[in-house]
Amino acid sequence: MVPAPTGATRLYAIVGDPIAQVRSPAGVTAAFAASGHDGILVPVRISVADLPDFLSLAPRLKNLDGLVVTIPHKFACYQACTSATERAHFLRSVNLMRRRADGAWHGDMVDGLGFVGAARAKGIAPAGRRALLVGAGGAGSAIALALVETGVSELAIHDSATERRDVLIGQLNGLGKAPVRAGTMDPTGFEFVANATPAGMKQGDPLPVDVARLASSAYCGCVITKPEISPFIAAARKAGCVTGTGTDMYEQHQGIMVDFLLGRDEGR
């Protein structure tokens, strides 16, 4: 049972637009309670136009200790951080922000850890696999970095925003860990297929890849949490693929999020 909030309860907000699809408020609040921390995570819908005003106000809210960041604010919120982890600096985006002792923000980006963790929980090790990633935005960039660092044999990235895609490809190739190139919607020959776009959140959205070309042996993962079974995941299951949903991803990185927000990641 999660205790009712009081005037002493510490406040955390998840910011995005849209926001109704997020699953973290209940889970993170329950995790706070289980760890003995009097805190609550609340959803806050903020448009791109209004985000600067919110970020200028947030440091003045003395009981606001942290932010969880979702679409489309991950790159903009990085700019509001005074300090950040190495991976957040590399990606220039964050999905977590923690208030420092001096009142400034410290950021991290853990989407990639959750996505890879969801695959491993299904018995799929990305290492050595040819991977196709659709989407080079905030979550996609983090997933791309995690896949390269976990040892995929090759990564192809498809995004209609070709300039953003090419910048990410250049960054990742600079690491010298795995060859990264531009991809297409054709998943032929890929053993790991990741959708890091919102495609499927709205009725009638196109599928992120040509699902008729999926190999039944491929792992297919998706970042979408609502609907829980996205059209891409439904099609992949029909093709016989092992799949991971956005909820699977969230469940893997909830603990990472809570540890960061409470400062338990320090020293790692």
Side-chain angles (χ1 to χ4, degrees):
M1 173 90 57
V2 176
T6 69
T9 300
R10 305 308 296 176
L11 180 63
Y12 302 79
I14 177 166
V15 296
D17 187 17
I19 202 68
Q21 78 282 1
V22 298
R23 300 292 180 93
S24 51
V28 170
T29 300
F32 283 155
S35 67
H37 179 66
D38 184 9
I40 185 172
L41 178 67
V42 297
V44 178
R45 184 177 181 182
I46 301 173
S47 69
V48 170
D50 291 332
L51 183 66
D53 287 341
F54 173 80
L55 290 175
S56 68
L57 172 66
R60 288 179 265 170
L61 303 177
K62 301 304 182 185
N63 63 338
L64 178 67
D65 287 348
L67 300 174
V68 179
V69 186
T70 188
I71 56 172
H73 302 319
K74 295 176 183 181
F75 291 103
C77 282
Y78 169 78
Q79 301 298 327
C81 292
T82 300
S83 61
T85 62
E86 184 177 344
R87 61 177 162 251
H89 280 313
F90 180 84
L91 296 165
R92 301 188 66 78
S93 67
V94 296
N95 72 328
L96 297 173
M97 297 167 65
R98 178 178 71 228
R99 190 192 290 273
R100 308 190 322 179
D102 62 1
W105 296 110
H106 176 67
D108 197 0
M109 170 52 98
V110 302
D111 279 342
L113 304 184
F115 195 92
V116 170
R120 287 177 171 152
K122 298 296 180 76
I124 303 297
R129 291 176 177 251
R130 296 186 66 226
L132 171 64
L133 169 69
V134 182
S141 297
I143 292 166
L145 177 60
L147 289 173
V148 166
E149 290 188 330
T150 203
V152 293
S153 63
E154 176 190 8
L155 175 62
I157 302 174
H158 173 62
D159 195 303
S160 57
T162 55
E163 183 177 353
R164 179 173 68 182
R165 175 204 66 193
D166 292 344
V167 167
L168 178 59
I169 289 172
Q171 282 183 286
L172 294 170
N173 277 325
L175 296 174
K177 293 186 176 183
V180 185
R181 62 175 176 83
T184 69
M185 294 178 64
D186 185 355
T188 301
F190 291 99
E191 304 153 291
F192 192 106
V193 182
N195 174 43
T197 76
M201 288 178 62
K202 298 178 187 174
Q203 189 75 24
D205 279 351
L207 290 169
V209 300
D210 182 353
V211 295
R213 295 179 178 271
L214 283 171
S216 61
S217 57
Y219 171 81
C220 294
C222 189
V223 300
I224 292 172
T225 56
K226 191 173 183 180
E228 183 166 351
I229 307 301
S230 69
F232 168 58
I233 291 298
R237 288 180 178 179
K238 189 175 180 180
C241 302
V242 176
T243 63
T245 67
T247 298
D248 293 328
M249 172 182 166
Y250 167 72
E251 289 174 351
Q252 289 298 312
H253 79 314
Q254 177 180 286
I256 300 170
M257 293 166 60
V258 170
D259 283 349
F260 176 86
L261 293 171
L262 298 183
R264 294 173 178 168
D265 65 312
E266 292 179 344
R268 294 181 186 174

